[in-house]
Amino acid sequence: MILYTLRRLLAVIPVVFLITLILFLLIHLAPGDPITLLMPEDATPEMIEEVRIRWGLDQPIWVQYFNYLSLVVTGDLGMSFKYGDPVVDVIFSRLPATAELAIIAMIIATIIAIPLGMWAGAHPNTAVDYAGGLFGFLGISMPSFWLGIMLILLLSGTLNLLPSSGRDNFGITDAPITGFNVLDGVLRLNGGQVLDALKYLAMPALALGVNMAGMLMRVTRSSIIDVMHEDYIRTARAKGAPERRVLWFHGLKNALIPILTIVGLELGALLSGSVIIETIFAWPGIGSLLISSINARDYPLVIGTILVYTLIFVVINFVIDLLYPFLDPRVRLG
Amino acid sequence: MSFFTKDGEVRALDGVDFSIESGRTLGLVGESGCGKSVTALSILRLLPKHSGRIKSGEIWFEGTNLAHVSEAEMRNVRGKRISMIFQDPMTSLNPVVNVGSQITEAMHLHEEISKADANARAVEMLTLAGIPNPGMRLRQFPHELSGGMRQRVMIAMALACSPSLLLADEPTTALDVTVQAQILELLLDIQNRFAMGVLLITHDLGVVAHHTQEVAVMYGGRIVEHASTADLFRSPRHPYTKGLMNSIPVQQKHKSRISAIPGTVPSALNWPSGCRFRTRCPLADAQCAHESPALLPVGPGHAAACFKM
């Protein structure tokens, strides 16, 4: 297990190396000059040239890349052109917002998808199954950005129930404890903050979660249908286990194995979906940060943000792999 | 007992009638697809609800007609008073639940028992089932055990609540020959100890000869011959039974061919008219095609369904 963890961690290094290389090349191929965007309009060519030398942008691209890489190795992702702060600090100040959104979206997806999928799968080809199937298809086929806009129109626009943008923290000015507003509210025993944080989270999390729920529901359904035909299900019934226990203990325990795989894959989709959703809801996470840094040609911040996304993706898949042996005793890591 | 399929109603079992006394073993013999397993599953009412249905008939067990009790009452019978051992121990145990939990499950379902007591009894059952190191096995998962060991676990599981009837559906078919004998010996031993009634389903006449007191031979969803084991082997009456006996390889001085029953089992969707065995029977004539022979006594405790005896 420890050896496996170490090996998986080592495998991350080439991934990071490749991602930085691709990004570095891509972004330098893209049109637009960060210096002209940064400098005031009346800056003289001499001033521009001076800044260009100061930032090292006059060097050949491969020199720039190796300068960058030697810093990345030490955990330094450079300075943001736009904010003037270290990229690492900028990203970390906004990471909790994205993490909180993703986690709540995932919880919503799981709470909807697993019971619905189990219910549909336990009664295949009945009205329940068809209703569940309809939800599944709707969930999969509705793009999250479209759902997000519809939610804003309905819940903020027409009904005026929920805030349409931002991530308020209930006027609390103390330094965040964890950066997760809901969790901070709970830790401060401040019900108002929890409620407020949830109000802001509700729509973006739902827009993200429904899409994932659709896919997850379909997988849960087909997985439980397969499992319920297995011999050990008959054995459980022969022992006199009530149907509820047969389904939710013997059935679910086995059905969870393929479900976990999809959760891992869908989390990746959820991350990329969050870039768009954060932009729509002006959610101050790393997704909207990425878009604004691209618009500002803030190279170090763009690469840094995507690098963090990559790392999150790699870590999630790694954690999912580590979870398999707990669900399936036949799996041995190594 | 009927199955309802997209190709129409299938009468899988038709007039299957037998009884098992406690402490006795009834062998149920026949080729694949003749309805042996369906018979056992019908007793426990474990056939898929949407496709299988007991259309008429009675299943009497300790004074109750199981065909008519509620599903909740049926659950109290399953695993507690009637247990079942399945054919394939590789797929019949839940792969993600440890052996201990699978054995104690029936105890917790049917009795008020503490975890420690249930575990102690599981160890006892595993010991009885001839598993070495039973305490350690409780925490193991099915994939860590061999086929023979898994079938012993199945037996321990079936015995957990000391049932009075055990349905053993080809309990040794999936196992190595050497292990088969051990498992059958074990079942016999346990049966004597608990005075259980056993329904031993098999296609192996050798197993029947050694381990049962009574035999019912099934063909096409019907019982075609029913006798004490000794009687059946001494004087088989039904041509199908005779065919089965002749197809057993016997060690002989003169080399001779094993005689097989010609043809294959007809589909349950489309049984032949009259006697269902007539399409493969050497004695069949016009009467067999028109009338269905009833199971009639041919001697003390011996009945067969054939016109040509």
Side-chain angles (χ1 to χ4, degrees):
Chain A
M1 183 91 168
I2 296 164
L3 205 72
Y4 176 81
T5 310
L6 280 175
R7 237 178 337 148
R8 282 294 300 260
L9 286 176
L10 277 177
V12 173
I13 294 170
V15 173
V16 170
F17 174 77
L18 264 173
I19 288 289
T20 54
L21 183 65
I22 292 167
L23 287 172
F24 208 84
L25 291 177
L26 264 180
I27 209 156
H28 280 83
L29 285 173
D33 183 355
I35 302 291
T36 49
L37 282 168
L38 273 171
M39 299 299 284
E41 277 183 26
D42 55 350
T44 61
E46 288 76 30
M47 286 166 70
I48 289 175
E49 203 48 37
E50 194 195 318
V51 174
R52 198 183 293 280
I53 291 166
R54 178 140 46 93
W55 289 101
L57 293 173
D58 59 329
Q59 307 268 349
I61 184 165
W62 60 271
V63 176
Q64 287 185 40
Y65 179 64
F66 281 104
N67 286 339
Y68 178 71
L69 211 57
S70 58
L71 285 172
V72 169
V73 174
T74 66
D76 185 350
L77 296 179
M79 301 290 275
S80 160
F81 297 162
K82 188 181 162 198
Y83 295 92
D85 290 323
V87 166
V88 177
D89 294 356
V90 177
I91 290 172
F92 273 89
S93 71
R94 303 181 64 151
L95 197 55
T98 297
E100 185 173 40
L101 178 61
I103 289 167
I104 300 281
M106 207 183 86
I107 291 173
I108 289 175
T110 315
I111 287 175
I112 297 174
I114 305 261
L116 203 61
M118 291 287 285
W119 202 26
H123 311 277
N125 303 320
T126 60
V128 175
D129 186 22
Y130 296 138
L134 187 69
F135 168 81
F137 280 121
L138 277 177
I140 294 169
S141 42
M142 280 191 301
S144 55
F145 67 85
W146 180 83
L147 186 62
I149 293 168
M150 290 302 130
L151 284 173
I152 292 176
L153 283 176
L154 182 71
L155 296 178
S156 311
T158 314
L159 299 175
N160 204 14
L161 281 174
L162 293 169
S164 66
S165 71
R167 179 180 187 247
D168 193 62
N169 57 357
F170 203 56
I172 300 242
T173 47
D174 308 352
I177 304 169
T178 59
F180 296 85
N181 282 353
V182 178
L183 194 58
D184 281 1
V186 172
L187 291 175
R188 289 195 180 104
L189 301 174
N190 187 339
Q193 192 192 357
V194 175
L195 200 70
D196 199 47
L198 285 175
K199 260 188 183 171
Y200 278 90
L201 266 166
M203 283 198 296
L206 196 65
L208 267 179
V210 165
N211 199 259
M212 183 174 172
M215 180 64 90
L216 208 55
M217 182 262 155
R218 302 293 302 169
V219 172
T220 306
R221 175 188 176 275
S222 62
S223 175
I224 196 72
I225 287 177
D226 283 351
V227 166
M228 292 307 274
H229 282 112
E230 293 285 345
D231 285 352
Y232 51 78
I233 294 295
R234 192 182 55 191
T235 308
R237 289 190 179 126
K239 277 191 240 181
E243 203 50 33
R244 199 171 0 101
R245 180 175 164 82
V246 173
L247 182 69
W248 289 94
F249 178 73
H250 293 281
L252 183 60
K253 246 187 141 164
N254 282 282
L256 273 178
I257 300 161
I259 293 173
L260 182 70
T261 310
I262 297 299
V263 168
L265 290 173
E266 282 294 295
L267 271 171
L270 199 130
L271 280 179
S272 50
S274 74
V275 174
I276 302 162
I277 287 295
E278 283 184 11
T279 309
I280 292 173
F281 287 93
W283 190 259
I286 57 171
S288 53
L289 180 70
L290 176 64
I291 299 295
S292 69
S293 60
I294 289 171
N295 289 336
R297 298 286 183 287
D298 193 343
Y299 297 168
L301 194 53
V302 172
I303 298 179
T305 313
I306 294 179
L307 203 57
V308 168
Y309 266 116
T310 313
L311 284 177
I312 294 173
F313 192 76
V314 169
V315 167
I316 286 172
N317 277 292
F318 177 51
V319 170
I320 296 274
D321 282 352
L322 288 183
L323 285 176
Y324 275 113
F326 292 98
L327 287 187
D328 189 350
R330 287 164 296 186
V331 175
R332 285 277 165 275
L333 300 177
Chain B
M1 177 29 244
S2 284
F3 281 113
F4 294 89
T5 70
K6 61 178 191 309
D7 299 321
E9 181 182 339
V10 178
R11 299 194 68 166
L13 299 183
D14 195 352
V16 172
D17 190 359
F18 57 81
S19 61
I20 303 166
E21 284 166 52
S22 66
R24 307 258 295 174
T25 303
L26 172 76
L28 195 57
V29 203
E31 287 166 281
S32 317
C34 72
K36 295 169 298 185
S37 299
V38 173
T39 304
L41 290 170
S42 296
I43 295 173
L44 278 179
R45 292 195 7 209
L46 279 176
L47 292 161
K49 273 191 210 71
H50 53 278
S51 60
R53 197 174 310 155
I54 300 169
K55 287 191 76 178
S56 66
E58 294 169 348
I59 304 161
W60 286 95
F61 174 73
E62 292 177 351
T64 328
N65 182 0
L66 297 184
H68 291 145
V69 302
S70 70
E71 182 59 28
E73 282 172 84
M74 200 60 223
R75 277 203 298 273
N76 288 330
V77 172
R78 290 182 197 135
K80 181 169 168 54
R81 291 157 68 202
I82 305 178
S83 282
M84 188 155 174
I85 301 171
F86 296 98
Q87 180 173 351
D88 190 352
M90 294 299 170
T91 56
S92 296
L93 290 168
N94 192 329
V96 302
V97 178
N98 70 40
V99 165
S101 308
Q102 296 199 55
I103 295 176
T104 55
E105 184 176 13
M107 304 179 201
H108 291 298
L109 284 167
H110 299 296
E111 299 165 30
E112 289 292 326
I113 188 169
S114 73
K115 250 197 162 129
D117 287 350
N119 278 338
R121 201 153 97 206
V123 169
E124 202 182 303
M125 292 299 158
L126 285 172
T127 314
L128 204 66
I131 291 185
N133 259 324
M136 190 192 81
R137 303 289 177 188
L138 291 185
R139 285 183 305 277
Q140 286 192 320
F141 289 90
H143 73 276
E144 295 171 90
L145 306 173
S146 68
M149 282 295 159
R150 287 192 217 186
Q151 199 58 302
R152 287 171 193 270
V153 168
M154 280 295 292
I155 292 170
M157 214 161 84
L159 297 175
C161 293
S162 321
S164 41
L165 176 63
L166 182 69
L167 311 173
D169 186 3
E170 307 215 21
T172 58
T173 308
L175 303 174
D176 288 347
V177 183
T178 46
V179 183
Q180 285 185 5
Q182 293 171 10
I183 296 284
L184 285 167
E185 281 308 319
L186 172 69
L187 272 175
L188 211 68
D189 182 45
I190 288 168
Q191 172 185 21
N192 289 334
R193 218 181 282 208
F194 287 81
M196 277 185 307
V198 173
L199 176 68
L200 183 62
I201 296 173
T202 179
H203 57 251
D204 186 341
L205 283 172
V207 168
V208 171
H210 289 111
H211 297 279
T212 67
Q213 287 93 45
E214 217 179 307
V215 195
V217 180
M218 277 188 89
Y219 186 84
R222 289 177 179 161
I223 291 182
V224 294
E225 187 160 8
H226 189 156
S228 73
T229 309
D231 252 8
L232 189 89
F233 281 89
R234 201 182 313 120
S235 54
R237 304 298 288 272
H238 196 281
Y240 177 60
T241 316
K242 288 179 185 166
L244 280 182
M245 301 248 180
N246 287 335
S247 58
I248 306 172
V250 196
Q251 234 175 351
Q252 285 171 326
K253 285 191 185 131
H254 315 287
K255 278 185 191 165
S256 66
R257 288 176 63 88
I258 298 166
S259 58
I261 304 173
T264 54
V265 185
S267 157
L269 271 170
N270 188 13
W271 293 124
S273 65
C275 174
R276 289 176 182 174
F277 185 57
R278 73 177 166 83
T279 49
R280 300 169 70 192
C281 181
L283 308 174
D285 63 14
Q287 190 192 9
C288 302
H290 292 115
E291 286 172 60
S292 181
L295 191 67
L296 295 171
V298 291
H302 194 151
C306 182
F307 298 119
K308 306 290 156 201
M309 289 181 295

